Amino acid sequence: MVSTRLSRMEGHRRKFMAVIDDTPECGRAVHYAGMRAKNSNGGLVLLYVIADADFQQWLGVEGIMRAEARAEAEATLAKIAQTVRETIGIEPEMVIREGGATDQIYSLIEEDRDIAILVLAAGSAKDGPGPLVSSIAGKTAAFPIPVTVIPDLLTDEEIDALS
């Protein structure tokens, strides 16, 4: 059970969350979430999850690998945030977490009770919509907030018209 969302209460605003990863469709989710946030006077949260499993096999260099992964996450978020500022005109919140993506999504939703909608983008590859969409789609009955899945083939103009 998820905590009650606060986004409709005075002093709060509805936030849209997009998960940042290395998939080509990630940009579609960010653009849609950003446009929905702008058009509804809401906020945009960009979540980057560093998989902690990457560090467990290399105990001797764990600290160095973790620092490099964090620096990469920060650089990726900074680049995407700059694109959001330039193309959409809003200032996104940036969050970096370590762990499993689904677990960290749930955790952030529970912590930030203004997050009201998760936006993901489906890939168009023949092997399916992507690991994150597949993971969350299998749990939709128990997922704490609405999930919007954006088709990968939509253009920015089509996304603008929908948002």
Side-chain angles (χ1 to χ4, degrees):
M1 184 78 179
V2 73
S3 299
T4 303
R5 302 290 88 194
L6 301 177
S7 57
R8 296 288 182 191
M9 299 177 88
E10 190 172 330
H12 295 269
R13 65 185 183 149
R14 177 173 56 175
K15 294 179 184 178
F16 296 80
M17 181 168 64
V19 180
I20 307 305
D21 57 24
D22 60 356
T23 60
E25 61 269 12
C26 173
R28 304 276 52 94
V30 171
H31 189 79
Y32 180 82
M35 289 302 296
R36 288 284 291 130
K38 179 180 180 179
N39 292 336
S40 65
N41 198 28
L44 173 62
V45 177
L46 303 175
L47 172 64
Y48 190 108
V49 180
I50 301 168
D52 59 0
D54 294 344
F55 311 121
Q56 294 177 359
Q57 296 179 15
W58 307 97
L59 295 177
V61 293
E62 177 182 354
I64 294 169
M65 292 177 71
R66 186 168 266 124
E68 289 173 353
R70 182 147 190 104
E72 180 182 332
E74 289 170 352
T76 299
L77 279 174
K79 182 179 176 184
I80 291 172
Q82 185 60 33
T83 300
V84 167
R85 287 183 205 102
E86 291 171 358
T87 61
I88 300 173
I90 63 172
E91 183 64 37
E93 294 177 41
M94 296 177 280
V95 179
I96 299 174
R97 297 283 182 96
E98 286 185 28
T102 305
D103 292 338
Q104 294 305 316
I105 291 168
Y106 274 99
S107 178
L108 184 56
I109 290 168
E110 183 61 27
E111 291 169 24
D112 186 342
R113 293 173 50 197
D114 287 337
I115 297 173
I117 298 176
L118 172 62
V119 179
L120 302 174
S124 56
K126 61 183 174 187
D127 58 340
L132 190 54
V133 172
S134 296
S135 170
I136 291 184
K139 300 176 181 181
T140 53
F143 205 75
I145 61 173
V147 179
T148 301
V149 180
I150 306 302
D152 181 39
L153 301 177
L154 292 178
T155 65
D156 284 349
E157 293 77 24
E158 291 169 325
I159 290 173
D160 291 347
L162 291 170
S163 58

